[in-house]
Amino acid sequence: GAGVSQTPSNKVTEKGKYVELRCDPISGHTALYWYRQSLGQGPEFLIYFQGTGAADDSGLPNDRFFAVRPEGSVSTLKIQRTERGDSAVYLCASSTSGTSGMKTQYFGPGTRLLVL
Amino acid sequence: KNEVEQSPQNLTAQEGEFITINCSYSVGISALHWLQQHPGGGIVSLFMLSSGKKKHGRLIATINIQEKHSSLHITASHPRDSAVYICAVPLIQGAQKLVFGQGTRLTINP
């Protein structure tokens, strides 16, 4: 069956531009997670959705970052006024409901963002 | 101090050797995850465990809740095991927000 997919796989943009990163979770997974991974580091939590709502957005670094999941399936991570420090791999994961204990998370291949 | 610390950061071994990667954490947890990341970025969940020991093929994961320590072992290592291995724990017990270790880069030479 289809896993988690992310588009684009690579994105190069200029400082100050706006970017959108898309995540298609596994069908039927109600929980969706965004992470950011800088070179040589482990992933860093950004935001977690349960259904359409952001259950925990405490990892978003500042108000330039925003994520939506309007229909409880596909999610878009939006970054305004990009900065060079935003360059990283953005990972998405999904799982079955996260409301009853830890669930195995299934990761997408990531979007590699480079801000010049 | 990071909530999750892994050791070693880098490990090179010969094919066939027994491998141990360690993870220590400072938060109370409900379950710990071991993940594998191959070059190119893809992450695969290997184990999620909250007590004792789990085994899958040549991979074994153990956890000691009292000591806040987990180990990932690989028996009869193979070059295809070369990857970055990452442990992750929820920041708050029962929560979904994971905190990740920095990863252990494993290289198995033929």
Side-chain angles (χ1 to χ4, degrees):
Chain A
V4 178
S5 62
Q6 292 186 244
T7 53
S9 54
N10 291 279
K11 176 71 177 178
V12 181
T13 191
E14 293 178 344
K15 180 175 178 294
K17 299 289 189 183
Y18 168 82
V19 297
E20 289 190 352
L21 312 179
R22 176 186 167 110
C23 173
D24 282 82
I26 292 173
S27 178
H29 279 189
T30 56
L32 184 146
Y33 315 80
W34 282 101
Y35 301 97
R36 177 169 70 173
Q37 186 175 26
S38 300
L39 194 63
Q41 302 295 316
E44 173 190 23
F45 172 85
L46 294 177
I47 186 170
Y48 151 59
F49 287 90
Q50 183 59 41
T52 60
D56 185 342
D57 65 358
S58 60
L60 294 177
N62 51 59
D63 61 6
R64 296 187 296 106
F65 288 74
F66 189 69
V68 295
R69 195 185 185 200
E71 298 177 1
S73 178
V74 171
S75 176
T76 305
L77 178 66
K78 308 180 181 193
I79 311 174
Q80 298 177 321
R81 304 183 305 279
T82 52
E83 299 177 357
R84 292 193 180 90
D86 298 335
S87 297
V89 176
Y90 289 82
L91 295 162
C92 175
S94 70
S95 72
T96 56
S97 172
T99 57
S100 57
M102 293 301 299
K103 305 293 182 185
T104 296
Q105 297 185 21
Y106 297 85
F107 286 79
T111 293
R112 190 173 302 272
L113 175 67
L114 177 61
V115 182
L116 299 176
Chain B
K1 185 181 186 302
N2 294 332
E3 287 99 350
V4 183
E5 294 274 357
Q6 287 185 236
S7 63
Q9 286 191 304
N10 293 280
L11 178 57
T12 300
Q14 291 299 121
E15 183 174 356
E17 287 189 38
F18 180 82
I19 302 299
T20 296
I21 298 170
N22 296 300
C23 177
S24 297
Y25 51 91
S26 59
V27 294
I29 66 167
S30 52
L32 178 145
H33 299 251
W34 279 104
L35 309 166
Q36 180 192 57
Q37 185 171 32
H38 278 285
I43 291 180
V44 173
S45 180
L46 297 175
F47 296 102
M48 186 173 65
L49 69 165
S50 55
S51 65
K53 175 176 162 178
K54 283 193 175 180
K55 185 175 187 293
H56 184 252
R58 295 180 294 104
L59 301 178
I60 303 166
T62 63
I63 190 167
N64 185 318
I65 296 292
Q66 286 74 30
E67 294 186 4
K68 298 192 174 184
H69 180 270
S70 176
S71 292
L72 177 68
H73 306 284
I74 306 175
T75 62
S77 59
H78 189 276
R80 66 174 174 267
D81 298 326
S82 299
V84 176
Y85 293 84
I86 303 170
C87 69
V89 301
L91 185 62
I92 300 171
Q93 191 165 4
Q96 300 301 322
K97 176 179 177 177
L98 293 179
V99 178
F100 295 78
Q102 79 275 29
T104 294
R105 183 174 299 276
L106 175 66
T107 303
I108 303 296
N109 293 319

